[in-house]
Amino acid sequence: MCGKLVWLRDKGKKGVHNPDAAKRSRPLLGVLTIYGMKPKGDDAWRGKVYNAEDGKTYTGKMELVTNTKLKLSGCVLGGLICKGETWRRVQRWAPGEVTGSG
């Protein structure tokens, strides 16, 4: 399983912290940030996570917590120290679509 950046607030943001100097001027939009994820139990995967904020790649863990929540972590020291966030599934939205009531 893998994942790439498909939306950024700053669409022109570049990977200035990438250790590969040739990649520092490329836009981050479209870059693979989650890759090589392989199943490790029920609703859990292990692989690699690229952090564009510091340009480093970490051992990664993903866990589907509920049908709408996915916990993603990047780890060092063989998984001893991990930092991550929980993502929430959003409903599909199209430009021009009216949402809410009222």
Side-chain angles (χ1 to χ4, degrees):
M1 196 178 311
C2 63
K4 67 179 177 177
L5 290 173
V6 296
W7 184 89
L8 287 170
R9 189 176 315 256
D10 177 1
K11 302 210 182 333
K13 190 170 184 175
K14 309 233 185 268
V16 297
H17 300 294
N18 195 304
D20 181 344
K23 294 180 180 177
R24 291 181 191 151
S25 61
R26 74 175 177 176
L28 286 173
L29 201 60
V31 169
L32 276 178
T33 56
I34 302 169
Y35 56 95
M37 290 286 179
K38 295 182 175 30
K40 291 292 181 185
D42 293 338
D43 297 325
W45 298 266
R46 300 287 184 271
K48 299 288 181 185
V49 177
Y50 172 69
N51 180 355
E53 297 293 320
D54 64 11
K56 295 180 181 177
T57 299
Y58 297 93
T59 299
K61 301 191 300 187
M62 284 192 330
E63 180 184 3
L64 188 61
V65 180
T66 69
N67 285 337
T68 60
K69 292 181 184 178
L70 178 76
K71 184 175 180 183
L72 176 67
S73 302
C75 307
V76 295
L77 300 173
L80 193 60
I81 301 171
C82 299
K83 183 177 179 182
E85 48 193 36
T86 299
W87 295 354
R88 291 178 180 259
R89 184 182 308 238
V90 295
Q91 291 185 350
R92 200 168 194 79
W93 174 81
E97 184 178 305
V98 177
T99 60
S101 60

